[in-house]
Amino acid sequence: MADIGLVLSGGGARGIAHLGLLQALEEMGIKPKVISGVSAGAVIGAFYGAGYTPKQILNIAKDHSPMSVLAAVMTSGGLFSPEILREVLVEAIPQNGFEFLKTPLLVTVTDIEKCVSLTFSEGPLYDVLVGSAAIPALFDPIPYQGMLLVDGGVLNNFPVDCLSGKCDKIIGSNVNKLLNNEGVQLSKLQVLERCVHLAIAKKVALQAMLCDVLIEPPLFKYNMFEMKYADEIFEIGYQKAIAQKGRLLLLA
């Protein structure tokens, strides 16, 4: 069986679709040898690497997340909040180190001071994960070993290239596929989010070309800041993966 690498993009609540993909892969008997993730994808990769099932991770996310980012910011609650994320990590993954994960994990972050993208695969786990998910303007950067970490998606929201030489085949899960939304009324947050994704679209497209199988679930109607549709998003990710079952099984 080929060594499979799995890449999980950022995307806030839309990252729940990664769990649907993981559920489908488990049912197919496909187990990634290594996971590369950023922001929400990194957090999901850590929980999965620690031995949690996709549905267990879904329940953890639902139990610790408010229905909207506004509630998260106002209450300092939910997995959108660095404080709550750290508490959940300490409880769910008691050993603070990459080396304790059952599946190797690469986490991409942005050092906002040096303006560079960095990938971590060893050392302390919590600060790197929290930093990778720290959305700029909503949450403060995370100090870590002389750096200031923010959301890794700022510079690389689909970190495929860091898997070079670490696996035979790559499955990519990108939950931010840009579509023509002409005629759709966008909120101010959605406009901001769309501008960010437009700015990094070329980088994401180049990374996507490195994947042997690319899964891009149709999630354009779901806000990255809201968890109330988590079950729907999980199912969409699952069905999109099942639709590519033939190609996925060929990798194994």
Side-chain angles (χ1 to χ4, degrees):
M1 179 178 290
D3 289 333
I4 303 294
L6 178 64
V7 185
L8 305 177
S9 74
R14 288 199 296 267
I16 295 296
H18 297 320
L19 296 174
L21 165 64
L22 284 166
Q23 180 66 35
L25 292 180
E26 286 200 346
E27 293 175 7
M28 297 176 201
I30 299 174
K31 178 75 173 178
K33 176 192 175 185
V34 58
I35 298 174
S36 172
V38 60
S39 197
V43 174
I44 288 170
F47 278 99
Y48 190 74
Y52 290 90
T53 69
K55 289 187 178 178
Q56 285 175 327
I57 302 168
L58 173 63
N59 289 331
I60 290 171
K62 289 163 62 177
D63 288 345
H64 293 88
S65 293
M67 291 298 100
S68 71
V69 73
L70 179 60
V73 173
M74 294 299 290
T75 64
S76 295
L79 286 182
F80 290 108
S81 161
E83 293 81 6
I84 298 301
L85 174 55
R86 187 184 301 277
E87 291 178 9
V88 175
L89 287 170
V90 171
E91 179 181 349
I93 309 175
Q95 294 172 301
N96 182 21
F98 280 84
E99 67 271 23
F100 297 108
L101 298 176
K102 299 174 184 178
T103 303
L105 176 68
L106 290 80
V107 176
T108 294
V109 301
T110 302
D111 180 350
I112 199 65
E113 283 194 325
K114 298 181 178 65
C115 304
V116 294
S117 178
L118 302 169
T119 299
F120 291 92
S121 59
E122 58 185 25
L125 180 65
Y126 303 154
D127 284 341
V128 172
L129 282 174
V130 175
S132 183
I135 303 171
L138 291 182
F139 303 112
D140 292 333
I142 304 301
Y144 178 72
Q145 297 183 355
M147 296 168 280
L148 276 180
L149 307 184
V150 299
D151 193 325
V154 171
L155 291 177
N156 188 358
N157 204 41
F158 200 35
V160 183
D161 51 356
C162 58
L163 286 181
S164 178
K166 295 179 173 61
C167 54
D168 301 320
K169 301 291 183 179
I170 297 176
I171 299 169
S173 180
N174 175 31
V175 298
N176 302 299
K177 183 175 176 61
L178 282 168
L179 296 171
N180 187 341
N181 282 359
E182 186 176 355
V184 177
Q185 184 67 36
L186 300 176
S187 69
K188 290 181 179 180
L189 275 175
Q190 288 173 318
V191 170
L192 175 61
E193 178 200 351
R194 192 164 177 81
C195 288
V196 170
H197 287 305
L198 283 169
I200 62 175
K202 184 176 181 179
K203 171 76 171 180
V204 170
L206 290 173
Q207 295 286 296
M209 292 175 64
L210 302 175
C211 296
D212 294 282
V213 176
L214 177 63
I215 309 291
E216 292 187 297
L219 299 170
F220 56 92
K221 73 175 184 178
Y222 297 98
N223 191 319
M224 71 174 289
F225 300 113
E226 294 182 330
M227 281 292 293
K228 60 185 176 182
Y229 301 110
D231 291 321
E232 289 182 26
I233 294 171
F234 180 98
E235 183 64 20
I236 290 170
Y238 174 80
Q239 293 298 337
K240 188 67 174 179
I242 291 296
Q244 298 215 40
K245 182 176 181 178
R247 294 187 64 203
L248 289 167
L249 289 175
L250 283 176
L251 296 183

